[in-house]
């Protein structure tokens, strides 16, 4: 399992390390943002896309929350 924790200062890193030591957690790997290699850049979305086509997608088949839950539970049940 991998958990990512972003820390802004060295003081916060020291505090987090002390916490891990308190709970005897020794399997911690610290990676600097500089060591990560490729940093993913977040770009703004394409504002030219018109979302109006999604409106009324279930207009001819209205759904209640109970129906959505019922369908979801049936879909996740094992197939015999």
């Amino acid at each position: 399992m991998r958990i990512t924790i972003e820390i802004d200062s060295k003081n916060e890193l020291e505090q987090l390390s002390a916490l891990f030591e308190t709970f005897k957690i020794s399997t911690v790997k610290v990676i600097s943002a500089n060591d990560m290699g490729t940093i993913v850049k977040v770009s703004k979305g394409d504002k030219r896309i018109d979302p109006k086509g999604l409106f009324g997608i279930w207009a001819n088949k209205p759904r209640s929350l109970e129906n959505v839950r019922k369908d979801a539970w049936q879909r996740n049940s094992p197939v015999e």
Side-chain angles (χ1 to χ4, degrees), residues 10-43:
K10 190 172 183 176
N11 185 33
E12 289 179 352
L13 178 60
E14 291 170 359
Q15 291 175 351
L16 187 60
S17 296
L19 179 69
F20 289 148
E21 288 175 12
T22 302
F23 288 105
K24 296 184 171 119
I25 300 173
S26 59
T27 55
V28 176
K29 183 177 181 182
V30 177
I31 300 174
S32 166
N34 297 333
D35 296 338
M36 289 180 59
T38 306
I39 296 177
V40 178
K41 294 184 179 180
V42 177
S43 61

Side-chain angles (χ1 to χ4, degrees), residues 24-76:
K24 296 184 171 119
I25 300 173
S26 59
T27 55
V28 176
K29 183 177 181 182
V30 177
I31 300 174
S32 166
N34 297 333
D35 296 338
M36 289 180 59
T38 306
I39 296 177
V40 178
K41 294 184 179 180
V42 177
S43 61
K44 292 185 177 183
D46 186 355
K47 301 296 183 188
R48 296 174 291 165
I49 298 173
D50 186 14
K52 290 182 183 174
L54 297 173
F55 298 155
I57 204 167
W58 289 288
N60 297 330
K61 188 178 177 185
R63 309 190 88 192
S64 68
L65 184 57
E66 290 79 21
N67 289 341
V68 171
R69 286 181 178 151
K70 178 182 169 191
D71 292 344
W73 277 106
Q74 287 177 355
R75 183 177 55 228
N76 290 333

